[in-house]
Amino acid sequence: MRDEARAAELRDKLAGELLAAGYLRSARLEAAFRAVPRHAFVPAGTPLDVTYQVDRAVVTKRDERGGAVSSVSAAYVQVAMIEQAELKPGMSVLEVGSGGYNAALLAEVVGPDGQVVSVDIDPEVTERATALLHAAGYGDRVTVLTADAGREISGWGSFDAIIVTVGAWDLSPAWLGQLAAHGTLVVPLRMNGVSRSIAFRRSDAHLISTSAVVCGFVPMRGVGAHANREFRLPDAEGRVVTLGFDDGAPDDPALLDGVLAGPRAEVWSGVTIRHGVSFADLHLWFAGFLPGFCKLAAEDGTEPAQERKTWFPFAVVRGDSFAYLSVRPALDGTGVEFGARAYGRHGHEAARAMVDQIQAWNDLSRNRPEPTFAYWPTGTTPVHLPECTAVLNKTNGLVTISWPTG
Ligand SMILES: C[S@@+](CC[C@H](N)C(=O)[O-])C[C@H]1O[C@@H](n2cnc3c(N)ncnc32)[C@H](O)[C@@H]1O
């Protein structure tokens, strides 16, 4: 079978999967998805079955250390974010972060009377996107600009929707400035290391979420960049456990020196989960309510790496000690029980703090409706916050995450 025919077949199959999973919901986006050749926007040589996978981003540019700086995002994320924006024919859309493919989908959805402006900070990315859009027949339907989209896009007024396709730690005041009064801002927002693509609408002077989707994105560069802090803790053999902080890094990380050689502790929660069930909402709960929360990466050979890695990418630091999320087989044999294992003189305390939040999540959040997110720009005062609300400080405002109770 020729490549184009095979690509069309895989695209239709992927559209079916996205419909079945509920990511693809509107007829216009479905038609767009079936029409735009995703394979025309990935690097030459990318296998078609990689291009047309539900959850696979294809990296288009890396930095000198091999980190991804630009990619064609995973299909499910692109589709979910466009649905979040609730676009209609004739609307104007600003896409922050270019690549070509997503902009072509947007052009199909807003139609010939709509407007799509795609902005990227990286001239190599905009050159590539411009060329690919032209080749695919979208050259005159998308305006591609090179600029830091953390700042106002001068010469352009307001947009009905702004879709940010790069990981943001904070909302840029420029996005709020260029969002129409009735507009929707869709943004992959990082909250203490945990990301959600959040659709925000204005409500008086603040923004309130209409939906949120689990996602991951390459981090924003330029004025909106936010540096992670990482602490490398070597064990006796020089193998390293790394703790990464998006926010709230300890004031004195030297207290953790030699911690892997210190005493160990563990605390179990009695909270179980069946195999194969997502617990992404637990990560968000930790991000909201567990001070000292961080991400953990364990090199092969270190003790934390000897357990199933996927279960404990999260940790919490307490002074000279840290604990990490762990599991053991559940007594009833149906899944696993959550707990925390710890290192250091105050490891038990750190593990206890994590387990307290596992239990609080189980009691107050699990199997309940999704939380609501709000953004309060500097100068506004949060009001009417429900009881179960986490508050995260950002540079340009505050994020609140409110879990429904009762
Ligand atoms: C995931 S890619 C965009 C994917 C694209 N929308 C697509 O069609 O799949 C993220 C892009 O954001 C860009 N970016 C990072 N910081 C930016 C900034 N401050 N302003 C504009 N673009 C930025 C990166 O250069 C990168 O190309």
Side-chain angles (χ1 to χ4, degrees), residues 3 9 17 55 59 71 78 89 149 176 212 253 309 325 345 381:
D3 267 5
E9 191 181 88
E17 287 166 21
D55 55 1
V59 175
S71 61
Q78 291 175 314
L176 274 62
K309 283 185 193 156
L325 183 64
R345 283 191 309 129
T381 311

Side-chain angles (χ1 to χ4, degrees), residues 38 60 69-74 78 95-103 118-122 125 147-151 165-167 217-225:
R38 183 174 165 89
T60 48
V69 292
S70 192
S71 61
V72 177
S73 306
Q78 291 175 314
E95 180 193 44
V96 173
S98 310
Y101 174 63
N102 195 55
S118 179
V119 180
D120 203 288
I121 197 169
D122 188 332
V125 172
D148 182 345
R151 301 184 192 281
T165 66
V166 60
F217 269 92
V218 297
M220 190 152 176
R221 296 184 265 168
V223 70

